Amino acid sequence: MIVPLDEGVRELVGDGDTVALEGFTHLIPVAAGHEIIRQQRRDLTLVRMTPDIVYDQLIGAGCAARLVFSWGGNPGVGSLHRFRDAIQHGWPRPLEIEEHSHAGMANRYVAGASGLPFAVLRGYAGTDLVGQTETIKTVECPFTGERLAAVPALNPDVAIVHAQRADRSGNVQLWGITGIQKEAVLAAKRSLVTVEEVVDELEPVPGQVVLPSRVLSAVAVAPGGSRPSYAHGYYARDNSAYQDWDAVSRERETFARWLEDEVGAPAQLPGKAG
Amino acid sequence: MTTTTGYTADEMMTVAAAHALTSEMACFVGIGLPSTAANLACRTHAPGLWMIYESGTLGTRPGTLPLSIGDGVLAETADTVVSVPEVFNYWLQPGRIDVGFLGAAQIDRYANINTTVIGDYSDPKVRLPGAGGAPEIAASCREVVVVVRQSTRAFVDRVDFVTSMGHGRGAGDRESLGLPGAGPTRVITDLGVLKPDPQTRELTLAQLHPGVTAEDARAATGWDLAVSPDLATTPEPTAEELAVLRSLSGRE
């Protein structure tokens, strides 16, 4: 159950998989994302409500063929330049996108976690998002006749989330802003949770969210594993790292150097597309 | 840039936006200008304002401005923290939120909002972050207030992509789609305030900030901007409002 991070990623994430690394500003599984880059996984469909800088890195490193998302940016700073480069110029490879709203993505995970084929919500009406994807349709309520949006369940091959701590049997405590992590894990076929620490026994924390070990495939210890995002009760968000990322990611050359120096992964040659 | 009157156009805009909020409201807050204005309102005339951020922090009162939508300070000062499905399904969708406070990259004469792409969707000139929570905020809040700097780049005749529905192509469009909220009731800019015409729903210049002329506003608008016959002037920010605003921004 408790495995080294590299082993967890090697066993659970395969080329071509649909992979969701979730975390809503808080508890973003950055260390796991870097391990996927180091292991040079390819043709992934990356899923996430808020792809931010770790997804910028995965996309820039050439791991992703598709992105399913609802908001792609550097939170509080601006744009994701590697994401933009992939969409606007196909570098380092073209990136197909499937775009939703937050409410749509959240409900797709809920349907996935609930074992249902689709979810309904009162949304999307009048927007151009509807015309850009096959995964937004309309259904009629069988009771009132109201027209509602329908979105298909998301069931990733693997979900990866970060949490504060686990016990030795792999029960996980996660608290603070919980985002969509629980739903992503329950919707996925396999799951990996990285944690700040493993303890002998979990102290009960009011408002905690426990992911029981029986729904997880593996837990890996990764102290500081969500930096530069934050782990409530452990460390604060490194806002300056998000601001600094803008300059690092703007040019292919500086990004490639960063990838080699900071992640220890070979980068694609800048300028070589596709 | 500080004018001779002692405040900038951005400060005027933020104070004017704060005035759209009252103590009794529940407000769904977007990051950036809307967040600054909501936090200013909370600290001045609207101490009871119930602020919600889409990260699931309900009734939050951050001591400093959050840099992002899910900063720890939002969780620590919230009445409660809920999951993302809950914030959208239980709080936003049933109409529990009075006002949605949104920004825009482009906005058109019917207050439709684009935060997705500039240019063609499949071959964009500029790829923007996308929808986030905005489409359903625009659909389900009782009303929407948009805060955006006015320029011909942002105020376009027709948005390149409708990320969030304003008033569609005019009167009756929202109703025919079954959208429960009233849509954008005010667009607050660094030049003035635009409001939809009650009959046509076309945005009309309703208010100018001190020192700004209707010609300035028309020159910064990408369509033939209609001007209300009852054009008003925005009250100047008070010294207290400016002091609170600067103490907030200074800590960003």
Side-chain angles (χ1 to χ4, degrees):
Chain A
M1 168 56 65
I2 296 179
V3 300
L5 177 58
D6 58 346
E7 190 186 313
V9 168
R10 197 167 298 118
E11 288 188 357
L12 295 171
V13 185
D15 286 349
D17 276 356
T18 297
V19 184
L21 288 85
E22 280 292 352
F24 206 96
T25 310
H26 179 214
L27 294 174
I28 295 167
V30 176
H34 288 177
E35 187 56 38
I36 292 172
I37 294 175
R38 272 192 296 276
Q39 294 190 18
Q40 298 187 58
R41 288 291 176 275
R42 289 292 178 263
D43 300 320
L44 301 178
T45 291
L46 291 178
V47 183
R48 179 155 163 196
M49 291 183 64
T50 55
D52 75 338
I53 70 181
V54 71
Y55 269 45
D56 211 27
Q57 293 156 3
L58 283 154
I59 291 164
C63 302
R66 292 186 76 228
L67 179 70
V68 182
F69 75 112
S70 42
W71 190 91
N74 183 344
V77 179
S79 295
L80 294 176
H81 301 295
R82 296 299 95 225
F83 160 69
R84 263 195 182 180
D85 202 11
I87 288 185
Q88 293 175 215
H89 309 111
W91 192 90
R93 55 166 297 167
L95 181 71
E96 212 184 295
I97 56 172
E98 183 177 324
E99 190 161 3
H100 278 268
S101 67
H102 279 352
M105 284 291 282
N107 280 289
R108 295 187 69 188
Y109 276 123
V110 168
S114 308
L116 289 170
F118 72 98
V120 292
L121 66 153
R122 190 181 288 118
Y124 291 120
T127 75
D128 286 338
L129 287 161
V130 181
Q132 294 302 338
T133 168
E134 289 297 304
T135 53
I136 303 170
K137 294 197 186 297
T138 310
V139 290
E140 189 183 293
C141 170
F143 305 103
T144 65
E146 183 181 355
R147 303 296 295 179
L148 295 161
V151 289
L154 267 172
N155 292 104
D157 293 308
V158 57
I160 303 179
V161 301
H162 188 73
Q164 279 94 342
R165 55 187 178 231
D167 65 17
R168 301 209 175 273
S169 6
N171 297 298
V172 171
Q173 264 183 349
L174 183 162
W175 67 90
I177 289 175
T178 57
I180 196 76
Q181 284 97 310
K182 186 175 184 172
E183 289 77 9
V185 165
L186 293 177
K189 300 184 184 94
R190 305 183 292 276
S191 57
L192 171 66
V193 182
T194 57
V195 292
E196 288 297 317
E197 61 174 335
V198 169
V199 295
D200 288 333
E201 222 167 291
L202 290 171
E203 279 172 44
V205 177
Q208 69 186 241
V209 172
V210 174
L211 291 166
S213 65
R214 60 184 302 125
V215 300
L216 307 175
S217 308
V219 172
V221 187
S226 70
R227 290 184 196 278
S229 79
Y230 70 106
H232 220 129
Y234 284 77
Y235 47 89
R237 188 173 188 264
D238 182 358
N239 288 330
S240 63
Y242 284 87
Q243 284 154 345
D244 294 346
W245 180 250
D246 194 74
V248 171
S249 60
R250 205 169 274 270
E251 302 298 331
R252 295 170 185 176
E253 290 78 7
T254 47
F255 167 74
R257 217 174 308 129
W258 178 90
L259 205 56
E260 290 190 4
D261 294 348
E262 300 298 323
V263 182
Q268 308 252 349
L269 285 177
K272 207 175 148 190
Chain B
M1 189 188 71
T2 304
T3 65
T4 48
T5 44
Y7 54 88
T8 67
D10 267 11
E11 286 173 336
M12 179 70 255
M13 167 172 60
T14 311
V15 171
H19 285 170
L21 302 171
T22 68
S23 232
E24 292 71 39
M25 286 176 167
C27 176
F28 208 115
V29 186
I31 211 74
L33 290 169
S35 171
T36 309
N39 278 277
L40 173 62
C42 240
R43 284 163 174 77
T44 51
H45 65 277
L49 182 67
W50 208 60
M51 290 195 291
I52 291 186
Y53 288 73
E54 65 194 13
S55 53
T57 55
L58 310 186
T60 183
R61 314 185 61 78
T64 55
L65 278 185
L67 180 71
S68 89
I69 206 91
D71 270 11
V73 67
L74 293 173
E76 276 157 8
T77 57
D79 290 339
T80 185
V81 179
V82 300
S83 70
V84 168
E86 184 171 335
V87 76
F88 285 103
N89 288 351
Y90 298 179
W91 294 91
L92 178 62
Q93 192 164 257
R96 295 187 212 281
I97 313 300
D98 298 301
V99 59
F101 228 38
L102 295 176
Q106 283 185 333
I107 185 165
D108 68 21
R109 67 165 79 211
Y110 291 106
N112 300 298
I113 293 172
N114 175 16
T115 55
T116 302
V117 286
I118 306 296
D120 186 58
Y121 184 79
S122 53
D123 185 20
K125 268 191 243 147
V126 183
R127 175 64 224 196
L128 302 165
E136 281 80 20
I137 292 174
S140 290
C141 286
R142 285 169 201 224
E143 62 173 321
V144 172
V145 174
V146 186
V147 192
V148 56
R149 292 185 189 96
Q150 200 162 344
S151 75
T152 49
R153 259 176 75 188
F155 283 65
V156 294
D157 186 47
R158 206 158 180 161
V159 290
D160 293 350
F161 191 94
V162 179
T163 312
S164 306
M165 169 91 170
H167 298 289
R169 302 317 302 161
D173 266 17
R174 286 187 67 90
E175 292 79 354
S176 71
L177 287 168
L179 296 173
T185 51
R186 255 175 287 197
V187 178
I188 297 170
T189 82
D190 49 344
L191 302 179
V193 179
L194 291 73
K195 290 183 179 172
D197 178 277
Q199 264 76 53
T200 66
R201 306 275 176 94
E202 180 177 325
L203 285 177
T204 302
L205 185 66
Q207 205 170 312
L208 282 170
H209 300 329
V212 182
T213 67
E215 271 322 297
D216 296 336
R218 289 171 60 86
T221 305
W223 69 86
D224 190 16
L225 177 63
V227 178
S228 162
D230 309 316
L231 188 63
T233 304
T234 315
E236 296 208 338
T238 66
E240 190 216 343
E241 285 166 340
L242 287 172
V244 173
L245 175 58
R246 285 167 191 169
S247 73
L248 273 176
S249 318
R251 283 197 302 242
E252 231 177 320

